Amino acid sequence: MSRSERGVPTRRTRIEGMDLARGIALLAMMAADVFDQVDDKPPPGALAQTVRSDAAAAFVVVAGISLALSFGGDQPLHGRGRTVIRAVIAVQAVLIVVIGLVLGFSNHTTVILTSYGLLCLLTIPLLGCRPNLLARIAALVMVIAPLIATATLDSGAAGSEGNLTFTSLIVGPSGWITGLFVTGSYPVLSYLAFIIAGMAIGRLDLSSVQAVARLFVGGLALVVVGLVCRLALPPDPPVWHSFVHNLESLGSGVGLVGVVLLLVRIPAMTCLLRPITAAGTMALTLYSGYVLILATGVLENMRVEQYLVLLVGALLFAVSWRRFVGEGPLETLVLELTHCVRRVLVTQNRPNRME
């Protein structure tokens, strides 16, 4: 897959970069979930909320890039391959939603997987769009989302709180739909801008140093603009603060991708960060695992120790499992089911030949 003999990174390097960015976002989300309620004091809680939103935004931006890469990156698929990949992504997204609903029983953290799976489903029709069009759609959604959220809150339709489960989905679907799409911790409408922006990035030539450097500079610029606007804007109206917050989160996610894609070009840094990269290859497994551990309440009164145990355990598990087994347990389950769908589609689309 090497593009030339000039030291240009291969496709494998770009994938490692996505795994590393995903791993960093995962560990940051873990930290936010652990330290969110430290002594119920506002400053740590506010900081944890900021870290969670920025880490979740980075997680979703990386998801958008991965979707675009699976669709061919800067050289999109054509013909039958487009249909197969869309079906595979749809199956994977539904499975992630199901896992999110199963984990919804936990009251110790807000589960992102349900929103994450829905985001992947909603973006399937956009997989073939050009990067410029994707960027414009992302910008439009980013402007519209705070307006809709503010209007929804002003109308009193705040939606239900907590995680969505199979039971709550059946008992009170209207309130949960409002919370899931507009007013929840991970509102699908707001995060839709992040995943579409990631898809636009994934359609670029990420083997170019200039393109990657522009991502870093552009992400940093968005964060700086957001901080300046936050300091300059008056307390009202809240819609502007929501927009600025989303702008900062998007900038942090894009900037992280730019930094990571630069770091993976350095062999020493690649080796040093390999445990986090391994964690990024099985983010679904590790995320589900730490949500289950937090639900048990173990070490809940010792937050630092709890996070260190989760962090070291996640990295050791990821490195060991990756070396001796391969894909993560949940990743293997999802891949096996999607492989079945792929085989069925390929078989159905294969032309019959008369011997």
Side-chain angles (χ1 to χ4, degrees):
M1 301 292 292
S2 180
R3 295 174 68 94
S4 69
E5 297 179 357
R6 297 174 297 174
V8 177
T10 63
R11 179 175 178 270
R12 178 181 176 183
T13 302
R14 297 198 293 274
I15 293 175
E16 286 180 350
M18 293 302 99
D19 290 335
L20 177 56
R22 192 181 298 108
I24 293 173
L26 172 69
L27 298 181
M29 290 176 65
M30 183 191 300
D33 287 333
V34 170
F35 293 105
D36 188 17
Q37 302 296 331
V38 177
D39 297 329
D40 294 328
K41 295 179 181 179
L47 177 61
Q49 290 291 346
T50 301
V51 172
R52 176 191 283 116
S53 61
D54 289 351
F59 201 76
V60 173
V61 168
V62 172
I65 298 174
S66 299
L67 286 174
L69 291 178
S70 68
F71 207 68
D74 56 338
Q75 298 178 351
L77 298 174
H78 296 282
R80 188 183 306 166
R82 299 167 71 101
T83 303
V84 173
I85 290 298
R86 282 193 170 105
V88 167
I89 292 174
V91 172
Q92 292 176 344
V94 170
L95 292 174
I96 291 173
V97 170
V98 170
I99 295 173
L101 292 173
V102 171
L103 295 175
F105 75 92
S106 174
N107 294 321
H108 287 70
T109 183
T110 305
V111 179
I112 192 177
L113 294 182
T114 306
S115 298
Y116 181 86
L118 286 175
L119 287 168
C120 294
L121 280 174
L122 291 175
T123 51
I124 289 176
L126 302 177
L127 284 172
C129 295
R130 297 180 180 274
N132 289 339
L133 178 58
L134 290 171
R136 292 169 184 167
I137 295 174
L140 179 62
V141 173
M142 182 166 289
V143 172
I144 292 176
L147 297 174
I148 295 178
T150 302
T152 302
L153 291 172
D154 291 343
S155 68
S160 301
E161 298 181 356
N163 293 320
L164 182 62
T165 62
F166 286 106
T167 302
S168 59
L169 185 62
I170 297 173
V171 174
S174 59
W176 285 108
I177 290 175
T178 302
L180 184 62
F181 280 88
V182 183
T183 62
S185 298
Y186 301 112
V188 170
L189 184 60
S190 295
Y191 279 81
L192 187 61
F194 302 153
I195 195 170
I196 296 175
M199 292 169 62
I201 294 172
R203 292 292 305 275
L204 303 176
D205 182 8
L206 297 180
S207 65
S208 168
V209 178
Q210 291 80 6
V212 174
R214 290 192 191 101
L215 287 179
F216 169 66
V217 174
L220 183 61
L222 289 177
V223 173
V224 172
V225 170
L227 290 174
V228 171
C229 291
R230 183 183 296 274
L231 296 174
L233 285 174
D236 294 318
V239 62
W240 292 112
H241 287 273
S242 178
F243 172 77
V244 169
H245 174 74
N246 290 343
L247 193 68
E248 292 176 357
S249 297
L250 176 61
S252 64
V254 174
L256 174 63
V257 170
V259 169
V260 164
L261 288 176
L262 291 173
L263 287 178
V264 293
R265 297 169 179 270
I266 306 173
M269 293 301 298
T270 301
C271 294
L272 181 64
L273 298 172
R274 187 161 294 164
I276 303 179
T277 302
T281 65
M282 54 188 73
L284 180 61
T285 294
L286 296 180
Y287 180 86
S288 302
Y290 92 72
V291 169
L292 291 174
I293 293 174
L294 291 180
T296 65
V298 61
L299 297 176
E300 63 180 355
N301 296 321
M302 305 169 65
R303 301 291 181 169
V304 174
E305 291 81 357
Q306 185 185 53
Y307 181 68
L308 290 177
V309 169
L310 290 173
L311 175 64
V312 174
L315 295 180
L316 287 176
F317 176 84
V319 171
S320 303
W321 190 278
R322 187 71 181 171
R323 179 175 182 180
F324 297 107
V325 181
E327 298 288 345
L330 285 181
E331 285 76 12
T332 300
L333 174 63
V334 172
L335 285 174
E336 286 299 324
L337 293 175
T338 53
H339 284 333
C340 294
V341 174
R342 185 193 295 267
R343 285 193 292 267
V344 169
L345 290 174
V346 171
T347 302
Q348 289 180 346
N349 292 325
R350 186 176 299 161
N352 295 323
R353 297 183 179 180
M354 300 297 295
E355 298 294 339

